[in-house]
């Protein structure tokens, strides 16, 4: 039975921080659904993520967001890394760094 009724606060904070990288509210909603699903869903596939939500669109909408919508993954990652630098618990230190997803 689907149980997610809204993304967790950390995801809502991320949408507030990075939402301007997406063209419209549906894209921001799918971004939140995708991040939430990666954190919470047992199955990390599009259909698995979609099934976890109590109220959502057809799974083809999330699939289209991931495969066809133009958004800049590099810019998102750069801003994600900069966002982490604002918090002492996640900023770079002599003891280690947050790994980057870029190669």
């Amino acid at each position: 039975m689907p149980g997610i009724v809204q993304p967790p606060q950390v995801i809502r904070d991320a949408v507030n921080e990075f939402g301007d990288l997406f063209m419209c509210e549906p894209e921001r909603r799918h971004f939140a659904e995708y991040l939430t699903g990666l954190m919470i869903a047992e199955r990390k596939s599009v259909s698995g993520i979609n099934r976890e939500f109590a109220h959502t669109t057809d799974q083809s909408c999330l699939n289209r967001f991931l495969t066809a919508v133009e958004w800049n993954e590099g810019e998102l990652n750069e801003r994600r890394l900069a966002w982490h630098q604002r918090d002492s618990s996640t900023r770079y230190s002599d003891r280690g760094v947050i790994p980057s997803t870029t190669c």
Side-chain angles (χ1 to χ4, degrees), residues 10-101:
V10 67
I11 300 300
R12 294 193 307 266
D13 292 344
V15 171
N16 287 336
E17 187 70 27
F18 309 118
D20 63 305
L21 296 173
F22 302 97
M23 293 181 57
C24 59
E25 189 57 34
E27 288 182 12
R28 288 183 281 280
R29 184 178 67 246
H30 293 313
F31 175 62
E33 289 171 349
Y34 181 59
L35 292 180
T36 300
L38 290 177
M39 289 176 57
I40 297 173
E42 182 176 334
R43 297 182 187 253
K44 309 300 185 196
S45 65
V46 170
S47 62
I49 290 171
N50 197 65
R51 277 194 300 267
E52 295 289 336
F53 285 88
H55 307 286
T56 190
T57 57
D58 187 82
Q59 77 176 34
S60 64
C61 296
L62 180 58
N63 187 58
R64 204 171 313 114
F65 168 73
L66 293 171
T67 61
V69 170
E70 294 289 327
W71 53 281
N72 189 328
E73 297 92 347
E75 175 67 18
L76 177 66
N77 189 48
E78 289 300 316
R79 293 206 10 217
R80 176 188 67 86
L81 294 172
W83 188 34
H84 284 299
Q85 299 315 300
R86 297 192 316 229
D87 184 329
S88 63
S89 67
T90 55
R91 94 174 41 114
Y92 301 134
S93 75
D94 293 337
R95 297 184 322 220
V97 298
I98 297 171
S100 172
T101 58

